[in-house]
Amino acid sequence: MFANSCRWLSFYTHSFDYYVLFRTNNPRSIFFFQEDVEISVPFKLLRVLAFVPSSFLQRVPTHLKDLMFLRYLFVTEWFEGLDCVVSTNRDLQTLVVSSKESQPGAPTLHLPCTIWESPRLQHLELGNSYVIDPPSVVKDNMQTLSWVNPSHCRKEVYYRFPNIKKLKIFCKEDLEPSHETGRSCNNPIILDNLDYLVRLETLSILVSAGCAVTRPEQPIFPLQFKKLRLNGTNFCKRDLALIGMLPQLEVLKLENAFHEKIWKVDEGGFRQLKFLLLEAKQLEQWIVNRIRSYILSV
């Protein structure tokens, strides 16, 4: 009775004999949180799948190819054959390839561009250990993108994602040169052209130590910004003043992104701000003329 009625499964380390569940085709979502060399994924109607690394990964792609209704796939590391799985699953909407925070000097894995062949892909989230070249055609469906290579931050590339709403950019010192530009993060990279992302609402920029990132003389941020996270950038008071004028900004996270001793918030700035996270080791004085009901974390 249980096996024939369960549609959402989550397996942890325990003594429960869950193999009886593999005789049914009812489950739509399944989560694995343990290592087991005997596990397979036979559910033909499965829509959501998430698992951590284990010794059965080498055999998983054969089973995943049969999951034609798969919409959400989460894996904690890339493995051989996954690009074929992604490109052949016609209903896949979300692909998350997580990774642990890479150490300085750790290699970056270049993922195949066949990932873009998935026709309904809307959300591509990659850890900072992975990089992928942009697609050659416009991807109207894309709404979420983790972008490891900042040398792709150009209007020619942004035009291929006209409906992107959430963007994360990793800047790594050890990043290999781009296939398109031949530039690496060892050369100064200007993070501009963001105003071409006309639907962008959430932006995260994470810069590793030693990575040279500069800003344009007059940085332009989309007016529809609601959430902004800056980590490791070297923004000045002028930049923060421009950010403060964004009319819809609700969440601002500054993590070692501001290195001056005094920050005076301009009158009328940050009108819609609801959450502020501030990590600034050199900041000695913060002057705010008007305190609102912010949630402040320092």
Side-chain angles (χ1 to χ4, degrees):
M1 290 176 55
F2 178 77
N4 290 328
S5 62
C6 189
R7 293 170 63 90
W8 188 95
L9 304 174
S10 181
F11 297 133
Y12 296 83
T13 302
H14 50 63
S15 58
F16 176 68
D17 184 10
Y18 54 81
Y19 289 96
V20 64
L21 299 177
F22 289 86
R23 301 173 185 174
T24 178
N25 234 359
N26 287 334
R28 302 298 191 270
S29 302
I30 181 171
F31 297 82
F32 290 116
F33 296 97
Q34 64 176 333
E35 181 174 338
D36 195 317
V37 296
E38 301 298 330
I39 282 182
S40 62
V41 186
F43 305 130
K44 300 296 183 181
L45 302 180
L46 197 64
R47 290 182 173 90
V48 176
L49 175 62
F51 53 81
V52 298
S54 70
S55 56
F56 77 95
L57 279 179
Q58 295 299 325
R59 297 200 301 272
V60 167
T62 302
H63 302 294
L64 290 183
K65 289 181 182 179
D66 299 330
L67 303 179
M68 300 308 298
F69 296 99
L70 193 65
R71 297 178 181 176
Y72 179 98
L73 177 60
F74 174 95
V75 296
T76 54
E77 64 177 331
W78 187 267
F79 55 87
E80 185 178 357
L82 186 56
D83 56 322
C84 182
V85 173
V86 173
S87 59
T88 56
N89 278 273
R90 312 299 294 177
D91 288 334
L92 188 65
Q93 298 177 3
T94 300
L95 173 63
V96 181
V97 185
S98 180
S99 65
K100 297 180 180 179
E101 292 294 328
S102 61
Q103 300 298 322
T108 301
L109 178 62
H110 210 109
L111 300 186
C113 292
T114 52
I115 292 177
W116 302 118
E117 296 177 4
S118 183
R120 297 188 180 181
L121 188 64
Q122 298 179 16
H123 310 280
L124 177 60
E125 300 183 33
L126 305 176
N128 65 348
S129 299
Y130 304 102
V131 63
I132 182 173
D133 283 333
S136 58
V137 297
V138 174
K139 304 297 293 184
D140 292 321
N141 292 336
M142 292 299 300
Q143 299 182 22
T144 303
L145 181 62
S146 293
W147 206 251
V148 180
N149 197 333
S151 62
H152 292 145
C153 298
R154 299 175 287 111
K155 61 181 180 179
E156 294 83 1
V157 175
Y158 288 152
Y159 279 144
R160 303 173 198 175
F161 302 101
N163 298 313
I164 201 76
K165 294 182 179 180
K166 183 177 181 180
L167 176 65
K168 179 182 289 187
I169 302 173
F170 296 103
C171 302
K172 295 179 58 180
E173 183 181 13
D174 64 298
L175 195 62
E176 296 179 357
S178 163
H179 289 178
E180 288 192 356
T181 65
R183 298 172 61 186
S184 70
C185 205
N186 293 322
N187 299 319
I189 295 172
I190 299 178
L191 293 175
D192 57 358
N193 299 317
L194 293 173
D195 53 313
Y196 288 95
L197 300 173
V198 296
R199 289 180 172 82
L200 188 65
E201 297 180 355
T202 301
L203 173 66
S204 299
I205 302 178
L206 289 76
V207 181
S208 64
C211 186
V213 177
T214 60
R215 307 168 309 284
E217 291 295 329
Q218 294 292 332
I220 301 177
F221 298 97
L223 296 179
Q224 70 278 4
F225 259 7
K226 293 183 178 180
K227 299 180 181 180
L228 177 61
R229 179 190 178 190
L230 302 174
N231 185 315
T233 60
N234 187 17
F235 275 36
C236 64
K237 289 182 288 187
R238 177 177 62 93
D239 299 323
L240 295 184
L242 293 174
I243 294 173
M245 292 297 106
L246 295 174
Q248 301 185 43
L249 187 65
E250 298 179 353
V251 176
L252 177 61
K253 299 180 179 181
L254 301 175
E255 302 164 294
N256 296 319
F258 181 70
H259 301 298
E260 299 191 27
K261 295 183 178 181
I262 301 176
W263 177 20
K264 181 179 180 180
V265 179
D266 293 343
E267 181 69 25
F270 302 101
R271 291 183 176 272
Q272 300 298 323
L273 194 64
K274 299 178 180 179
F275 181 95
L276 173 62
L277 171 65
L278 180 60
E279 295 181 6
K281 298 179 180 179
Q282 298 182 14
L283 184 64
E284 297 178 357
Q285 189 176 15
W286 184 40
I287 304 174
V288 183
N289 294 326
R290 181 166 53 91
I291 298 294
R292 301 182 61 187
S293 56
Y294 300 156
I295 301 175
L296 175 62
S297 177
V298 181

